Amino acid sequence: MEININSFGIHPNSDKEAGYAFQKAIDECKNKNEDILLTLEKGIYNFYTENATTKTYYISNTSSETECPDKTKHIGLLFDNAKNITLDCGGSTFIFHGKFTQIVFDNAENITVKNLVTDWSRPTMTELELKNKTEGFSDFKINEDCSYEIKNGRVIWTGRQFEYTSGPTQIVPKDRATTRRVDEIRYSKAEDLGGNVIRFYDCNHKDASVGDIFQVRDGIRDEVGFFAVNSKNIVFENVTAHYMHGLGFVGQYTENITLDRFNTVPNKEKNRTCSCFADSIHISGCKGKITVKNSCFDGTHDDIMNVHGTDLPITEIIDKNKVKVRFSHPQTYGFNAFYEGDEIVFIDERTLLPIGYGRIAEALMISEREMMLTTEEPLPCGVKEKTAIDNLTWQPEVLFENNTITRDPTRGILISSGGKTVVKNNRFIRTSMSAILIAFDTRSWYESGKVNDVLIEGNIFEECCGPVINIAPETNEFEDGRYVHENIRIKNNKFILSDNRVLFARSTDGLAFEENEIVSDSEPKFETVHCANVKIK
């Protein structure tokens, strides 16, 4: 069945709020017991934060109680309790005005969004280009879609229902080939010269070159780009996001996510260089298969993709089969991390090695920070306070294939999942940290888990910082004959090195580095710590 969204009272290329019509159309689909195709006339559609649907969500890796006490999200399109819908936008562009979580899938199933471009009228990232500098001042041209005020010699970056004065800052050199994090812009006085030019007196960035672009954002992750929670079979096809506020596409306790031709790239027509406020893709506690393919990721403020679970340390042993656990990272809390019937592993917080296994009989949220877990069988011997619990049921397979990563200030991709992982035929260009990180920890980010089957094949790593591939579970305490990660194969890749550190691996059993091409001016460096069955040739 086909439903045309324009019949609900919205027309393309209108300044009017489009969200009402879209939400009416989505709600209409809930009454149909059949597959629905939602269509609309190609054009520009506008969404305004003051008219947005609002709902409270606790999202992994976003913000603490202090940073952002109010977890209300402002949502452009909400697919809640919706099934079997394809939204074909026909090449339309959605423009968001103010802070937004652009699309939410909540308890949704079999939803596809395709042929869409999203952008912001005023992104929450301010961009300014250095036009002139002397010993005493530096002149910056502010990007045309950014707004500001100057009060008492201090600049205030303004937008629709938001403002900030400073925050995390990156620089894009004048060759536009890379990006990197730098200190905030500091100055003694700001002066408006007109024509969107600001003069900063005694600017701290003396080593910057004329033509460099600075990117400045508020550091609070109060929204995300797209959010799939407690859902199944969510698909993006041919979706381009020119900007996302906070984390980009977030999957949380969702089964099967496919992002095909999901391009997060800055809008060059607007002379922008940043496409995302933080990670482009963040997958936390999902299962099934996560597929990211045929996509381009350009100009983020953090990692391109991070796939992990959440380790919850035990804070109290209540009974022989009952424990209290706690969300221990400031920015991750408030959501169910375990469900009845989930398989779990108890992890020694020092070595990251398993102590034993179990199954959840009951999982209760007793506060935003704490859960009470009851297991079907008594706790394994050796379990104590600080022992971490990881959820083995919610660990997906991952396919990251035929993608391009460029202008990335941190890691390319982080993958710590027990499901089969394939990273194939991608191009990683000048990542400012490792192109691939396989981590796992129970004491910093509390991001699980152990990998069992990883294939890294057919990729090009072009002048990425070393170690280009970094297998680094966060432990320095080892047990003879036991290892955190296992079965990692790196084969038929091309490494074009600017940093001779190719590979670092810690606590890994079954590591193969074979049939790779290395282009380097110096001797390539490989380092392993407490590893077994290593083949490097």
Side-chain angles (χ1 to χ4, degrees):
M1 180 178 181
E2 181 174 336
I3 296 176
N4 184 272
I5 296 174
N6 300 103
S7 65
F8 289 84
I10 189 63
H11 302 285
N13 308 316
S14 166
D15 291 335
K16 293 182 179 179
E17 171 65 57
Y20 298 136
F22 277 82
Q23 207 58 54
K24 287 179 182 177
I26 292 170
D27 292 342
E28 179 73 16
C29 296
K30 297 177 187 178
N31 301 320
K32 312 295 184 184
N33 190 25
E34 57 184 309
D35 292 347
I36 304 294
L37 175 62
L38 283 176
T39 60
L40 65 155
E41 295 178 42
K42 182 179 179 179
I44 296 172
Y45 295 87
N46 290 279
F47 298 79
Y48 301 88
T49 188
E50 57 267 31
N51 301 323
T53 299
T54 57
K55 195 168 182 179
T56 298
Y57 289 108
Y58 289 82
I59 303 178
S60 178
N61 295 74
T62 53
S63 59
S64 68
E65 297 92 332
T66 303
E67 291 172 321
C68 183
D70 185 358
K71 303 303 182 184
T72 302
K73 309 306 174 192
H74 299 80
I75 303 164
L77 281 71
L78 175 60
F79 290 89
D80 62 332
N81 298 296
K83 292 184 178 181
N84 306 322
I85 301 171
T86 295
L87 170 60
D88 188 344
C89 300
S92 293
T93 298
F94 293 176
I95 304 293
F96 294 90
H97 304 258
K99 290 184 178 180
F100 261 98
T101 297
Q102 297 171 39
I103 303 177
V104 169
F105 310 91
D106 182 353
N107 195 31
E109 187 172 342
N110 302 329
I111 309 293
T112 296
V113 176
K114 59 195 300 185
N115 303 323
L116 170 65
V117 176
T118 70
D119 205 351
W120 291 47
S121 59
R122 193 308 191 204
T124 56
M125 184 75 64
T126 297
E127 299 196 20
L128 51 161
E129 182 178 348
L130 181 59
K131 289 294 189 181
N132 179 44
K133 69 173 187 175
T134 69
E135 187 61 31
F137 60 80
S138 298
D139 295 338
F140 289 87
K141 177 68 179 290
I142 314 306
N143 204 65
E144 293 296 334
D145 62 3
C146 299
S147 51
Y148 63 92
E149 299 176 2
I150 294 179
K151 293 183 179 179
N152 301 318
R154 313 306 297 175
V155 64
I156 303 170
W157 308 115
T158 60
R160 197 181 193 95
Q161 300 186 346
F162 72 85
E163 64 178 40
Y164 61 99
T165 57
S166 62
T169 303
Q170 287 183 189
I171 190 169
V172 180
K174 60 183 178 179
D175 64 7
R176 306 293 184 259
T178 58
T179 185
R180 69 180 187 275
R181 293 175 172 178
V182 295
D183 291 339
E184 296 181 10
I185 298 175
R186 296 189 296 273
Y187 54 93
S188 61
K189 177 184 176 183
E191 179 184 356
D192 194 345
L193 301 184
N196 263 33
V197 176
I198 295 177
R199 175 166 292 174
F200 290 114
Y201 290 93
D202 303 311
C203 183
N204 59 315
H205 286 284
K206 303 295 185 184
D207 58 345
S209 300
V210 171
D212 290 352
I213 290 179
F214 285 73
Q215 306 166 339
V216 183
R217 62 175 167 89
D218 185 355
I220 305 302
R221 301 175 178 183
D222 46 5
E223 306 273 356
V224 299
F226 307 94
F227 185 43
V229 60
N230 303 128
S231 295
K232 184 177 181 179
N233 301 335
I234 303 301
V235 178
F236 271 18
E237 292 181 5
N238 192 30
V239 174
T240 295
H242 284 313
Y243 186 72
M244 295 179 286
H245 174 71
L247 296 173
F249 187 105
V250 179
Q252 184 169 295
Y253 291 89
T254 288
E255 181 177 357
N256 301 330
I257 296 172
T258 299
L259 306 177
D260 185 359
R261 290 165 292 155
F262 176 56
N263 301 305
T264 65
V265 296
N267 190 331
K268 293 182 180 179
E269 292 183 0
K270 294 184 178 180
N271 196 34
R272 299 196 66 85
T273 59
C274 181
S275 63
C276 188
F277 179 115
D279 299 358
S280 291
I281 301 169
H282 202 101
I283 304 298
S284 175
C286 289
K287 67 179 180 180
K289 188 168 186 178
I290 306 300
T291 300
V292 180
K293 61 183 181 180
N294 307 319
S295 302
C296 180
F297 303 97
D298 177 4
T300 66
H301 254 232
D302 213 325
D303 310 312
I304 298 304
M305 183 173 77
N306 189 352
V307 181
H308 64 88
T310 302
D311 287 319
L312 271 64
I314 295 173
T315 57
E316 185 179 355
I317 297 177
I318 307 297
D319 203 346
K320 63 181 180 180
N321 67 334
K322 182 177 289 189
V323 296
K324 186 186 293 184
V325 296
R326 181 174 176 82
F327 289 94
S328 297
H329 189 274
Q331 294 178 327
T332 298
Y333 67 102
F335 53 86
N336 282 314
F338 300 92
Y339 295 88
E340 180 181 341
D342 285 351
E343 300 283 350
I344 60 172
V345 57
F346 297 87
I347 301 166
D348 186 309
E349 80 282 2
R350 300 169 300 106
T351 64
L352 302 181
L353 297 172
I355 295 172
Y357 299 86
R359 184 190 297 270
I360 298 294
E362 184 179 51
L364 297 174
M365 293 290 298
I366 58 176
S367 73
E368 292 180 349
R369 282 282 173 187
E370 294 177 307
M371 294 190 73
M372 191 77 75
L373 303 180
T374 303
T375 57
E376 292 182 355
E377 301 292 335
L379 302 173
C381 181
V383 170
K384 62 185 187 304
E385 290 185 9
K386 294 187 178 180
T387 295
I389 301 180
D390 189 14
N391 194 328
L392 296 178
T393 296
W394 293 87
Q395 294 199 13
E397 293 187 17
V398 180
L399 173 63
F400 190 81
E401 182 177 29
N402 294 331
N403 303 297
T404 298
I405 289 172
T406 186
R407 287 196 293 194
D408 171 19
T410 52
R411 286 71 53 100
I413 59 175
L414 294 78
I415 301 180
S416 297
S417 178
K420 180 179 180 179
T421 295
V422 176
V423 181
K424 187 175 182 179
N425 298 335
N426 304 285
R427 188 180 179 197
F428 297 82
I429 304 172
R430 303 184 190 93
T431 57
S432 294
M433 298 180 187
S434 297
I436 299 175
L437 171 62
I438 299 172
F440 182 7
D441 78 272
T442 60
R443 288 182 285 191
S444 57
W445 283 94
Y446 298 88
E447 292 182 357
S448 59
K450 166 187 171 65
V451 305
N452 305 292
D453 184 353
V454 177
L455 174 63
I456 300 170
E457 181 178 28
N459 305 282
I460 298 174
F461 300 97
E462 184 177 331
E463 299 180 359
C464 298
C465 282
V468 179
I469 297 176
N470 192 12
I471 305 165
E474 294 184 19
T475 179
N476 288 306
E477 299 186 41
F478 310 116
E479 292 185 13
D480 290 343
R482 301 186 72 195
Y483 307 90
V484 175
H485 294 309
E486 63 180 341
N487 193 19
I488 301 173
R489 292 98 61 213
I490 305 162
K491 53 188 284 189
N492 296 320
N493 302 281
K494 183 175 183 178
F495 294 83
I496 304 171
L497 301 181
S498 58
D499 182 328
N500 71 338
R501 294 173 296 162
V502 178
L503 171 67
F504 173 85
R506 179 190 297 121
S507 193
T508 301
D509 182 14
L511 172 63
F513 185 95
E514 300 176 302
E515 300 176 6
N516 298 287
E517 179 184 356
I518 299 176
V519 180
S520 178
D521 293 332
S522 58
E523 184 68 21
K525 184 176 180 180
F526 301 84
E527 183 180 359
T528 61
V529 176
H530 187 67
C531 292
N533 300 308
V534 176
K535 296 179 182 179
I536 297 177
K537 61 180 182 179

